[in-house]
Amino acid sequence: MNNWKSGRKILLGITGGIAAYKIPALVRLIKKAGCETEIILTESAKNFVAPMTLETLSGREIHSDENFDFHIPHIKLNDWADVLVIAPCTANTLAKIAHGIADNLLTSAVIAAHCPILIFPAMNEKMFENSATQENIKILLNRGVKVIAPSEGDLACGVSGKGRMNEPNEILLEIFRTLSPEKNLKNKNILITAGPTHEYIDPVRFISNPSSGKMGAAMARAAWYRGADVKIISGPVEFNSYGFEVIKVKSALEMLEAVKKNLSWADYIVKAAAVGDYRVKNFSAQKIKRAASADGQENKNNFTVELEQNPDIAAEVGKLKRENQILIGFAAETQNISENAREKLARKNLDFILANDVAAEGSGFAVDTNTLRLIPRDESKNEKIYSGLKEDIAFEIWNDVSL
Ligand SMILES: Cc1cc2nc3c(=O)[nH]c(=O)nc-3n(C[C@H](O)[C@H](O)[C@H](O)COP(=O)(O)O)c2cc1C
């Protein structure tokens, strides 16, 4: 289960749009992820990306109408593929496949496909908005083909609008979402808190912790792969948020407010943020100056910051949540891990807690790996230990916490 992303076979069709220049970068990412790719180029795509570049990066010969012969590559490539991706997909190819036309190797491969098909249209805004294109997209969606709408932005034709193909790393994420072996969170709403909070002393200084938000982001990505709609309420950290709605907050109080506002939307709430337990009581609206005495010597007087306790967001959610909402908490501990985690599970009315020894090497804050113990409130369910890359264990955790 951990390695479901590697070794996947991606049949990649490239058509004659300007966004084809991004595809060599996608091919590199596919290889880096441990997947294989076979590439079909339309004749007009050859004007936009060099076959030799793609051959070198994929390590395989390119397929095109030149070798569309008695070897029936459109059938053989389909027997090999786990997914057929067309990126970029021109208005022309989109129209052909919507109407079952099979006049070249790529469109013949599409009509022979028995794996999922994923399409990334990219074109000038007017071409995209044209009712013929929109109707063709509807036809394909109704047929179960996944069409990822282009984004807004600067287009190669010199105007700005909707028609831009997704970036290569986003295309790869969509490929993995399509290939995910589990789709059990489809139509589920997942609310995740992630990252640290900043508790300000004055406008330029704050108290925080080293949380990177990686575990929360990994839980979010794994839920998204499984088909969920994901909202992240995040402290001040950066992560790849493609596909998520992100609500940025700074302090624990802001995070609590955002959680309350979005609580009724959620089927699952994952509290992966490292929320500051205390905030500054005597916040200074002006920057606190380094004090100097009258003789110009440095004043050695200490400066005292008084702290007051922040609300416990998980416990607040535990009080407010509906019967059928699942609340999953994390417990960052440095000692008596299980005992402390169990106490929190009961006190905060959590359904599951993931206990984390943040003092252990390769576990906890700001690293890519983690070791977690899952403790369910329902004693008929087993405890479980996960160890490995955060993104891999997050996918496994959803096997055990989703109903
Ligand atoms: C410079 C240039 C850029 C083009 N860019 C696009 C594009 O981004 N999207 C699109 O749908 N068509 C674009 N076209 C038109 C297609 O290349 C044309 O429809 C072609 O027949 C597509 O063939 P194919 O779908 O077999 O690859 C462009 C044409 C030219 C000359």
Side-chain angles (χ1 to χ4, degrees):
M1 175 68 76
N2 269 356
N3 291 327
W4 63 268
K5 292 201 242 56
S6 74
R8 306 310 293 269
K9 298 185 176 87
I10 298 160
L11 179 54
L12 181 57
I14 307 174
T15 66
I18 193 76
Y21 80 91
K22 294 183 183 174
I23 300 305
L26 172 64
V27 174
R28 288 197 73 168
L29 290 178
I30 289 172
K31 292 278 282 187
K32 209 169 153 205
C35 297
E36 295 171 56
T37 184
E38 293 277 1
I39 298 173
I40 302 177
L41 277 177
T42 63
E43 288 311 302
S44 93
K46 291 177 183 170
N47 295 324
F48 296 90
V49 59
M52 195 182 285
T53 308
L54 296 165
E55 273 175 353
T56 310
L57 293 175
S58 69
R60 293 179 185 221
E61 225 168 278
I62 298 303
H63 309 276
S64 72
D65 291 354
E66 276 173 44
N67 47 17
F68 189 16
D69 54 19
F70 65 93
H71 292 294
I72 50 170
H74 58 302
I75 306 295
K76 286 192 181 138
L77 289 169
N78 264 306
D79 289 343
W80 170 88
D82 293 325
V83 63
L84 195 170
V85 181
I86 307 180
C89 186
T90 55
N92 175 55
T93 294
L94 193 81
K96 285 195 211 170
I97 59 181
H99 292 90
I101 294 170
D103 64 347
N104 63 25
L105 174 54
L106 178 60
T107 50
S108 302
V110 170
I111 210 158
H114 45 89
C115 61
I117 302 175
L118 185 54
I119 290 182
F120 294 86
M123 61 201 68
N124 163 277
E125 186 181 32
K126 294 280 179 295
M127 292 171 81
F128 183 70
E129 280 172 355
N130 185 285
S131 53
T133 304
Q134 289 302 315
E135 278 164 30
N136 291 333
I137 289 175
K138 267 190 216 135
I139 290 172
L140 291 170
L141 289 171
N142 285 338
R143 216 180 274 160
V145 172
K146 222 166 147 185
V147 182
I148 306 296
S151 57
E152 301 238 354
D154 292 338
L155 303 175
C157 50
V159 299
S160 185
K162 196 171 168 96
R164 236 179 112 86
M165 191 181 71
N166 289 69
E167 294 305 317
N169 70 328
E170 298 167 351
I171 294 177
L172 190 62
L173 291 173
E174 292 285 359
I175 291 172
F176 286 142
R177 193 180 203 208
T178 303
L179 289 172
S180 169
E182 300 288 345
K183 300 271 174 32
N184 66 328
L185 295 178
K186 204 165 176 16
N187 300 324
K188 297 288 177 200
N189 294 339
I190 314 282
L191 183 65
I192 297 186
T193 68
T197 57
H198 286 184
E199 306 299 335
Y200 275 80
I201 301 168
D202 70 11
V204 296
R205 302 180 180 94
F206 55 79
I207 298 171
S208 190
N209 61 60
S211 167
S212 59
K214 285 183 176 175
M215 195 64 226
M219 289 295 288
R221 183 60 65 206
W224 183 80
Y225 283 148
R226 286 167 175 263
D229 287 329
V230 177
K231 269 189 207 179
I232 298 195
I233 299 172
S234 155
V237 281
E238 294 305 319
F239 50 84
N240 184 341
S241 62
Y242 174 77
F244 311 150
E245 182 183 334
V246 180
I247 301 161
K248 281 275 186 192
V249 296
K250 286 191 180 132
S251 67
L253 289 180
E254 284 173 21
M255 188 171 276
L256 174 63
E257 205 181 300
V259 169
K260 279 184 175 165
K261 219 183 222 170
N262 290 283
L263 194 56
S264 64
W265 171 85
D267 296 304
Y268 292 82
I269 305 114
V270 180
K271 300 285 298 82
V275 182
D277 286 327
Y278 293 91
R279 68 178 175 276
V280 174
K281 195 169 178 188
N282 47 345
F283 171 76
S284 164
Q286 302 303 325
K287 184 185 169 201
I288 298 163
K289 293 257 186 285
R290 197 183 170 93
S293 53
D295 59 5
Q297 294 299 303
E298 201 166 310
N299 185 335
K300 295 280 186 327
N301 285 348
N302 291 335
F303 169 70
T304 304
V305 177
E306 198 180 339
L307 300 176
E308 62 185 327
Q309 203 157 307
N310 270 327
D312 183 329
I313 301 179
E316 293 278 326
V317 176
K319 276 185 228 153
L320 295 171
K321 79 179 180 89
R322 297 189 303 264
E323 182 86 347
N324 57 352
Q325 283 178 309
I326 304 293
L327 176 58
I328 302 151
F330 280 77
E333 303 289 350
T334 53
Q335 57 186 349
N336 303 332
I337 319 275
S338 281
E339 294 85 324
N340 287 339
R342 269 177 208 291
E343 184 277 321
K344 280 186 186 164
L345 178 79
R347 178 166 49 82
K348 301 185 186 197
N349 191 27
L350 306 176
D351 296 286
F352 296 92
I353 196 159
L354 287 146
N356 192 187
D357 182 354
V358 288
E361 199 167 321
S363 186
F365 288 137
V367 287
D368 290 329
T369 52
N370 216 351
T371 299
L372 292 167
R373 176 190 290 265
L374 177 74
I375 306 172
R377 185 172 55 194
D378 178 350
E379 284 171 11
S380 69
K381 291 189 172 144
N382 291 333
E383 286 191 14
K384 202 164 167 187
I385 291 182
Y386 313 89
S387 201
L389 282 174
K390 284 178 178 171
E391 60 170 271
D392 290 340
I393 63 179
F395 198 84
E396 256 188 277
I397 289 168
W398 281 115
N399 280 340
D400 302 310
V401 298
S402 44
L403 303 176

